[in-house]
Amino acid sequence: MKSTELIDLARKARKKAYAPYSHYKVGAALLGKSGTVYTGCNVENASYGHTVCAERTAVLKAVSEGETEFEAIAVVTKNGGSPCGACRQVLSEFAPTLTIYIADKNGEYRTTTLKKLLPDSFTPAHLEEGNKEKGNK
Ligand code: THU
Protein backbone atom coordinates (compact mmCIF):
# COMPACT_ATOMS: atom_id res chain seq x y z
CA MET A 1 0.00 0.00 0.00
CA LYS A 2 1.23 3.49 -0.87
CA SER A 3 2.16 5.90 1.91
CA THR A 4 -0.41 8.41 0.66
CA GLU A 5 -3.20 5.81 0.86
CA LEU A 6 -2.34 4.96 4.46
CA ILE A 7 -2.16 8.66 5.33
CA ASP A 8 -5.57 9.18 3.78
CA LEU A 9 -7.05 6.45 5.99
CA ALA A 10 -5.47 8.12 9.05
CA ARG A 11 -6.94 11.45 7.96
CA LYS A 12 -10.42 9.88 7.82
CA ALA A 13 -9.90 8.25 11.24
CA ARG A 14 -8.92 11.66 12.66
CA LYS A 15 -12.46 12.87 11.95
CA LYS A 16 -13.68 10.41 14.64
CA ALA A 17 -11.32 11.81 17.31
CA TYR A 18 -12.99 12.45 20.66
CA ALA A 19 -10.95 15.40 21.91
CA PRO A 20 -13.30 17.82 23.72
CA TYR A 21 -10.56 18.86 26.20
CA SER A 22 -7.41 19.39 24.16
CA HIS A 23 -9.16 19.92 20.81
CA TYR A 24 -6.06 18.26 19.35
CA LYS A 25 -7.42 15.60 17.00
CA VAL A 26 -5.22 12.66 16.00
CA GLY A 27 -5.85 9.89 13.48
CA ALA A 28 -3.76 6.77 12.90
CA ALA A 29 -3.78 3.96 10.34
CA LEU A 30 -1.72 0.85 11.07
CA LEU A 31 -0.88 -1.51 8.20
CA GLY A 32 -0.68 -5.16 9.26
CA LYS A 33 1.56 -7.69 7.48
CA SER A 34 -1.67 -9.36 6.27
CA GLY A 35 -2.53 -6.17 4.36
CA THR A 36 -5.37 -5.23 6.70
CA VAL A 37 -5.41 -1.64 7.95
CA TYR A 38 -6.50 -0.85 11.52
CA THR A 39 -7.45 2.76 12.17
CA GLY A 40 -7.60 4.67 15.44
CA CYS A 41 -8.28 8.09 16.90
CA ASN A 42 -7.56 9.66 20.26
CA VAL A 43 -10.27 9.14 22.85
CA GLU A 44 -10.07 11.64 25.70
CA ASN A 45 -11.67 11.37 29.12
CA ALA A 46 -12.90 13.83 31.74
CA SER A 47 -10.31 12.30 34.11
CA TYR A 48 -7.58 13.41 31.72
CA GLY A 49 -5.06 10.66 32.53
CA HIS A 50 -7.27 7.98 31.03
CA THR A 51 -7.01 9.46 27.54
CA VAL A 52 -5.93 6.94 24.90
CA CYS A 53 -3.88 8.10 21.91
CA ALA A 54 -4.80 7.35 18.30
CA GLU A 55 -1.79 5.10 17.73
CA ARG A 56 -2.54 2.92 20.75
CA THR A 57 -6.21 2.70 19.78
CA ALA A 58 -5.08 1.29 16.42
CA VAL A 59 -2.61 -1.19 17.98
CA LEU A 60 -5.17 -2.46 20.47
CA LYS A 61 -7.77 -2.89 17.76
CA ALA A 62 -5.29 -4.87 15.63
CA VAL A 63 -3.98 -7.14 18.39
CA SER A 64 -7.48 -7.82 19.67
CA GLU A 65 -8.41 -8.90 16.14
CA GLY A 66 -5.45 -11.31 16.06
CA GLU A 67 -2.90 -9.30 14.03
CA THR A 68 0.45 -8.76 15.76
CA GLU A 69 2.90 -7.94 12.94
CA PHE A 70 2.97 -4.56 11.23
CA GLU A 71 4.61 -2.82 8.27
CA ALA A 72 3.82 0.85 8.76
CA ILE A 73 1.72 3.41 10.58
CA ALA A 74 0.47 6.81 9.43
CA VAL A 75 -0.34 9.49 11.98
CA VAL A 76 -2.21 12.68 11.08
CA THR A 77 -2.55 15.80 13.21
CA LYS A 78 -3.15 19.45 12.33
CA ASN A 79 0.55 20.26 12.50
CA GLY A 80 2.55 17.06 12.01
CA GLY A 81 2.93 16.12 15.68
CA SER A 82 5.16 13.13 16.40
CA PRO A 83 3.94 9.99 18.24
CA CYS A 84 4.28 10.26 22.04
CA GLY A 85 6.70 8.17 24.07
CA ALA A 86 4.04 5.80 25.39
CA CYS A 87 2.84 5.03 21.85
CA ARG A 88 6.40 4.46 20.65
CA GLN A 89 6.91 1.91 23.41
CA VAL A 90 3.63 0.10 22.69
CA LEU A 91 4.38 0.00 18.95
CA SER A 92 7.89 -1.36 19.62
CA GLU A 93 6.44 -4.40 21.40
CA PHE A 94 5.06 -5.61 18.08
CA ALA A 95 6.98 -3.79 15.37
CA PRO A 96 10.49 -2.61 16.29
CA THR A 97 11.29 -1.90 12.63
CA LEU A 98 8.03 -0.10 11.83
CA THR A 99 7.96 2.62 9.16
CA ILE A 100 6.19 5.78 10.36
CA TYR A 101 4.57 8.47 8.24
CA ILE A 102 3.92 11.68 10.17
CA ALA A 103 1.51 13.94 8.32
CA ASP A 104 -0.24 17.26 8.84
CA LYS A 105 -3.77 18.13 7.82
CA ASN A 106 -2.58 19.56 4.49
CA GLY A 107 -1.03 16.25 3.43
CA GLU A 108 2.58 17.29 4.02
CA TYR A 109 4.43 14.35 5.57
CA ARG A 110 7.78 12.95 6.56
CA THR A 111 8.87 9.35 6.75
CA THR A 112 10.78 7.94 9.70
CA THR A 113 11.18 4.65 11.59
CA LEU A 114 10.51 3.43 15.10
CA LYS A 115 14.22 2.58 15.39
CA LYS A 116 14.99 6.30 14.94
CA LEU A 117 12.21 7.51 17.25
CA LEU A 118 12.89 4.98 20.02
CA PRO A 119 16.54 3.92 20.02
CA ASP A 120 17.90 1.54 22.69
CA SER A 121 14.39 0.55 23.75
CA PHE A 122 13.30 -1.89 26.42
CA THR A 123 12.17 -5.04 24.61
CA PRO A 124 10.52 -8.40 25.39
CA ALA A 125 14.02 -9.95 25.08
CA HIS A 126 15.11 -8.13 28.23
CA LEU A 127 12.40 -9.90 30.20
CA GLU A 128 13.49 -13.29 28.87
CA GLU A 129 17.06 -12.64 30.07
CA GLY A 130 15.73 -11.55 33.45
CA ASN A 131 13.68 -14.72 33.80
CA LYS A 132 16.68 -16.93 32.94
CA GLU A 133 18.76 -15.16 35.58
CA LYS A 134 16.17 -15.91 38.24
CA GLY A 135 15.86 -19.51 37.14
CA ASN A 136 12.29 -18.91 36.12
CA LYS A 137 12.78 -20.36 32.68
N1 THU B 1 -2.22 12.24 21.24
C1 THU B 1 -2.31 11.17 20.39
O1 THU B 1 -3.41 10.70 20.05
N2 THU B 1 -1.16 10.62 19.94
C2 THU B 1 0.09 11.05 20.27
O2 THU B 1 1.07 10.41 19.92
C3 THU B 1 0.24 12.32 20.98
C4 THU B 1 -0.97 12.81 21.69
C5 THU B 1 -3.46 12.84 21.74
C6 THU B 1 -3.70 12.63 23.20
C7 THU B 1 -4.61 13.80 23.54
O3 THU B 1 -5.95 13.42 23.25
C8 THU B 1 -4.20 14.88 22.55
O4 THU B 1 -3.45 14.24 21.53
C9 THU B 1 -3.37 15.98 23.16
O5 THU B 1 -2.30 15.47 23.85
Side-chain angles (χ1 to χ4, degrees):
M1 170 174 282
K2 279 199 260 169
S3 53
T4 48
E5 289 176 88
L6 199 60
I7 290 166
D8 207 48
L9 291 171
R11 184 182 333 287
K12 285 190 184 116
R14 181 171 176 262
K15 295 197 174 118
K16 305 261 171 55
Y18 178 75
Y21 309 109
S22 75
H23 305 288
Y24 191 80
K25 297 182 171 193
V26 187
L30 179 64
L31 176 61
K33 286 236 161 105
S34 71
T36 302
V37 174
Y38 302 86
T39 58
C41 62
N42 51 334
V43 182
E44 297 188 344
N45 190 273
S47 68
Y48 292 5
H50 293 295
T51 290
V52 180
C53 292
E55 299 90 321
R56 275 178 288 156
T57 301
V59 174
L60 299 187
K61 279 172 71 178
V63 174
S64 62
E65 295 293 328
E67 181 125 28
T68 54
E69 291 186 281
F70 306 104
E71 303 270 358
I73 189 169
V75 183
V76 177
T77 59
K78 65 178 173 191
N79 56 3
S82 193
C84 81
C87 289
R88 294 177 195 197
Q89 180 65 31
V90 170
L91 287 165
S92 83
E93 178 81 15
F94 300 100
T97 64
L98 195 69
T99 297
I100 304 179
Y101 306 114
I102 299 173
D104 67 21
K105 63 177 185 185
N106 302 319
E108 295 291 320
Y109 74 98
R110 66 189 178 95
T111 305
T112 186
T113 63
L114 196 54
K115 278 214 184 308
K116 280 191 199 143
L117 294 188
L118 192 68
D120 197 19
S121 61
F122 186 77
T123 71
H126 289 115
L127 288 181
E128 277 163 32
E129 279 169 31
N131 285 339
K132 269 187 224 138
E133 203 173 276
K134 282 179 117 185
N136 287 345
K137 245 193 175 177

